[in-house]
Amino acid sequence: PLAGLLRFKVYASGSYAGETLSSITYADEDTAMTGEFVLDATAVGGEQWGLTSGDENYAVATLAESYTVGKSKASASVVYMVLAPNNYSGVLTVTTNKAVYTYDYAKAIERNHYYDVNIDLSKATSRKSVEGEFGGGDGSAAKPYLIDDAADLVALSKVCATNEAYRNKHYRQIADIDLSKVSFSPIGSEELPFEGVYDGGNFSVKGIVIPEANTLPCGMFGYVKNATLRNVVIDGITNNGAGGKVGGVVGCAENSTIESCVMNSDLYASVTISGGIAGWVSGGKVSGCTTTSTIKSITSEWAQSGGIVGYLCGGGVVENCTLSGNVASMSKRIGGIVGDLRGSTVKGCRVT
């Protein structure tokens, strides 16, 4: 379809020059950004076509090659975003390696027109640092860092990948969070696992998207070790990945405690290991968790798929958990509670 273009230049006239730009999102809750547009994601002559995806009320331009933000507009690379023609009044979100910035932006977009948007990071409406500011707190057990919006979860994901000091802190979610309008990566990896305490407060998280051809552990959390995850509620996860380990709450959990978590979102997994709450669990304990949805694996007969845990090993324990949804798989290793059990224990669980 014919569309209009926003032509961004991102710079920082004061503070924040030197940060690395990774994506730009534009969201308008009242106006439909109909259609989906995919452009050649290559940098040419200092200008860059972001990989732009559209949905009903938002568009995201993810850079093919991140660039360092300079101090002047003249030094900025150009990033394009494609939008359906319409009258917009919404919020621009700019994500760098250091922070998430927001700006109010209104524009009438016409087909076959482009519009210059000059963004000065030093003059943002709001800025949330990925260096641990979050919504409050100091990361201790008495005063956990507060997670109250999508920007905070993006910040947590980034800081776990860049700063070891934040991987073993305490976090508490204090509001329902929708990740569908931001670029989010699972929290923690096998190389840099999350090792802290996350209390979801029984608030929901939705809009988690696992990208195509992703083979890493995926869920809201990717990989956790010696961690505690409690009261996490997943209300929306889209899996496009293949070949990895996927769970609604966490992809892989090593010697960790997962308690009182809920998976309410259907999970269709073309992966090796999938579970409603956790994909792969070695050691530790999963207790008091519930899956109310359908967990469907569409891979080979040797994949592992379970309503609570896909693969349980290393002396791990799953207890007092409930599946009130369904598990469907081509695999021979499928279970209502655990898909594949090796040297571990399941007790007090039920399928209803």
Side-chain angles (χ1 to χ4, degrees), residues 16 24 44 61 63 145 156 162 182 261 320:
Y16 315 131
I24 302 173
V44 180
L63 274 64
Y145 285 127
L156 176 55
T162 59
V182 299
C261 295
N320 301 325

PDB file of all heavy atoms in Angstrom, residues 16 24 44 61 63 145 156 162 182 261 320:
ATOM      1  N   TYR A  16      23.515  13.191  27.007  1.00  0.00           N
ATOM      2  CA  TYR A  16      23.130  11.926  26.387  1.00  0.00           C
ATOM      3  C   TYR A  16      23.736  11.690  24.999  1.00  0.00           C
ATOM      4  O   TYR A  16      23.450  10.670  24.373  1.00  0.00           O
ATOM      5  CB  TYR A  16      21.605  11.755  26.320  1.00  0.00           C
ATOM      6  CG  TYR A  16      20.918  12.130  27.607  1.00  0.00           C
ATOM      7  CD1 TYR A  16      19.819  12.975  27.618  1.00  0.00           C
ATOM      8  CD2 TYR A  16      21.400  11.665  28.831  1.00  0.00           C
ATOM      9  CE1 TYR A  16      19.204  13.341  28.804  1.00  0.00           C
ATOM     10  CE2 TYR A  16      20.795  12.020  30.027  1.00  0.00           C
ATOM     11  CZ  TYR A  16      19.696  12.870  30.007  1.00  0.00           C
ATOM     12  OH  TYR A  16      19.103  13.237  31.178  1.00  0.00           O
ATOM     13  N   ILE A  24      12.929   3.121  17.170  1.00  0.00           N
ATOM     14  CA  ILE A  24      11.983   4.215  17.367  1.00  0.00           C
ATOM     15  C   ILE A  24      10.583   3.642  17.211  1.00  0.00           C
ATOM     16  O   ILE A  24      10.302   2.915  16.255  1.00  0.00           O
ATOM     17  CB  ILE A  24      12.196   5.342  16.341  1.00  0.00           C
ATOM     18  CG1 ILE A  24      13.629   5.886  16.432  1.00  0.00           C
ATOM     19  CG2 ILE A  24      11.188   6.475  16.560  1.00  0.00           C
ATOM     20  CD1 ILE A  24      13.979   6.879  15.342  1.00  0.00           C
ATOM     21  N   VAL A  44      22.576   2.998   3.743  1.00  0.00           N
ATOM     22  CA  VAL A  44      23.101   3.452   2.460  1.00  0.00           C
ATOM     23  C   VAL A  44      23.384   4.947   2.547  1.00  0.00           C
ATOM     24  O   VAL A  44      22.480   5.742   2.803  1.00  0.00           O
ATOM     25  CB  VAL A  44      22.099   3.186   1.317  1.00  0.00           C
ATOM     26  CG1 VAL A  44      22.681   3.676  -0.007  1.00  0.00           C
ATOM     27  CG2 VAL A  44      21.764   1.709   1.228  1.00  0.00           C
ATOM     28  N   ALA A  61      10.293   1.104  14.149  1.00  0.00           N
ATOM     29  CA  ALA A  61      11.431   1.080  13.236  1.00  0.00           C
ATOM     30  C   ALA A  61      12.648   0.599  14.016  1.00  0.00           C
ATOM     31  O   ALA A  61      13.131   1.291  14.912  1.00  0.00           O
ATOM     32  CB  ALA A  61      11.685   2.464  12.653  1.00  0.00           C
ATOM     33  N   LEU A  63      16.536  -0.430  13.899  1.00  0.00           N
ATOM     34  CA  LEU A  63      17.672  -0.155  13.030  1.00  0.00           C
ATOM     35  C   LEU A  63      18.410  -1.423  12.638  1.00  0.00           C
ATOM     36  O   LEU A  63      18.619  -2.310  13.459  1.00  0.00           O
ATOM     37  CB  LEU A  63      18.645   0.804  13.721  1.00  0.00           C
ATOM     38  CG  LEU A  63      18.345   2.295  13.568  1.00  0.00           C
ATOM     39  CD1 LEU A  63      17.031   2.664  14.225  1.00  0.00           C
ATOM     40  CD2 LEU A  63      19.482   3.128  14.123  1.00  0.00           C
ATOM     41  N   TYR A 145      13.481  -2.545  43.390  1.00  0.00           N
ATOM     42  CA  TYR A 145      13.218  -1.664  42.256  1.00  0.00           C
ATOM     43  C   TYR A 145      11.780  -1.883  41.808  1.00  0.00           C
ATOM     44  O   TYR A 145      11.318  -3.026  41.699  1.00  0.00           O
ATOM     45  CB  TYR A 145      14.163  -1.980  41.102  1.00  0.00           C
ATOM     46  CG  TYR A 145      15.578  -1.499  41.299  1.00  0.00           C
ATOM     47  CD1 TYR A 145      16.651  -2.376  41.161  1.00  0.00           C
ATOM     48  CD2 TYR A 145      15.847  -0.167  41.608  1.00  0.00           C
ATOM     49  CE1 TYR A 145      17.961  -1.936  41.317  1.00  0.00           C
ATOM     50  CE2 TYR A 145      17.157   0.279  41.777  1.00  0.00           C
ATOM     51  CZ  TYR A 145      18.206  -0.606  41.630  1.00  0.00           C
ATOM     52  OH  TYR A 145      19.490  -0.177  41.797  1.00  0.00           O
ATOM     53  N   LEU A 156      15.076  -3.260  32.399  1.00  0.00           N
ATOM     54  CA  LEU A 156      15.564  -4.417  33.141  1.00  0.00           C
ATOM     55  C   LEU A 156      16.252  -5.405  32.205  1.00  0.00           C
ATOM     56  O   LEU A 156      17.318  -5.944  32.533  1.00  0.00           O
ATOM     57  CB  LEU A 156      14.402  -5.092  33.877  1.00  0.00           C
ATOM     58  CG  LEU A 156      14.735  -6.379  34.640  1.00  0.00           C
ATOM     59  CD1 LEU A 156      15.871  -6.168  35.618  1.00  0.00           C
ATOM     60  CD2 LEU A 156      13.495  -6.897  35.368  1.00  0.00           C
ATOM     61  N   THR A 162      24.007  -5.826  30.392  1.00  0.00           N
ATOM     62  CA  THR A 162      25.151  -4.923  30.342  1.00  0.00           C
ATOM     63  C   THR A 162      25.812  -4.646  31.687  1.00  0.00           C
ATOM     64  O   THR A 162      26.955  -4.203  31.723  1.00  0.00           O
ATOM     65  CB  THR A 162      24.726  -3.565  29.734  1.00  0.00           C
ATOM     66  OG1 THR A 162      23.677  -2.994  30.521  1.00  0.00           O
ATOM     67  CG2 THR A 162      24.236  -3.741  28.302  1.00  0.00           C
ATOM     68  N   VAL A 182       6.715  -1.849  22.284  1.00  0.00           N
ATOM     69  CA  VAL A 182       8.139  -1.592  22.494  1.00  0.00           C
ATOM     70  C   VAL A 182       8.943  -2.777  21.979  1.00  0.00           C
ATOM     71  O   VAL A 182       8.410  -3.862  21.734  1.00  0.00           O
ATOM     72  CB  VAL A 182       8.466  -1.348  23.984  1.00  0.00           C
ATOM     73  CG1 VAL A 182       7.734  -0.134  24.509  1.00  0.00           C
ATOM     74  CG2 VAL A 182       8.141  -2.581  24.829  1.00  0.00           C
ATOM     75  N   CYS A 261       2.948 -18.543  39.867  1.00  0.00           N
ATOM     76  CA  CYS A 261       2.888 -17.866  38.562  1.00  0.00           C
ATOM     77  C   CYS A 261       1.742 -18.433  37.737  1.00  0.00           C
ATOM     78  O   CYS A 261       1.328 -19.581  37.933  1.00  0.00           O
ATOM     79  CB  CYS A 261       4.204 -18.015  37.817  1.00  0.00           C
ATOM     80  SG  CYS A 261       5.600 -17.195  38.642  1.00  0.00           S
ATOM     81  N   ASN A 320       2.272 -29.060  43.540  1.00  0.00           N
ATOM     82  CA  ASN A 320       1.047 -28.284  43.753  1.00  0.00           C
ATOM     83  C   ASN A 320       0.746 -27.335  42.594  1.00  0.00           C
ATOM     84  O   ASN A 320       0.303 -26.199  42.796  1.00  0.00           O
ATOM     85  CB  ASN A 320       1.130 -27.492  45.066  1.00  0.00           C
ATOM     86  CG  ASN A 320       1.333 -28.384  46.273  1.00  0.00           C
ATOM     87  OD1 ASN A 320       0.812 -29.508  46.327  1.00  0.00           O
ATOM     88  ND2 ASN A 320       2.105 -27.916  47.230  1.00  0.00           N
TER      89      ASN A 320
END
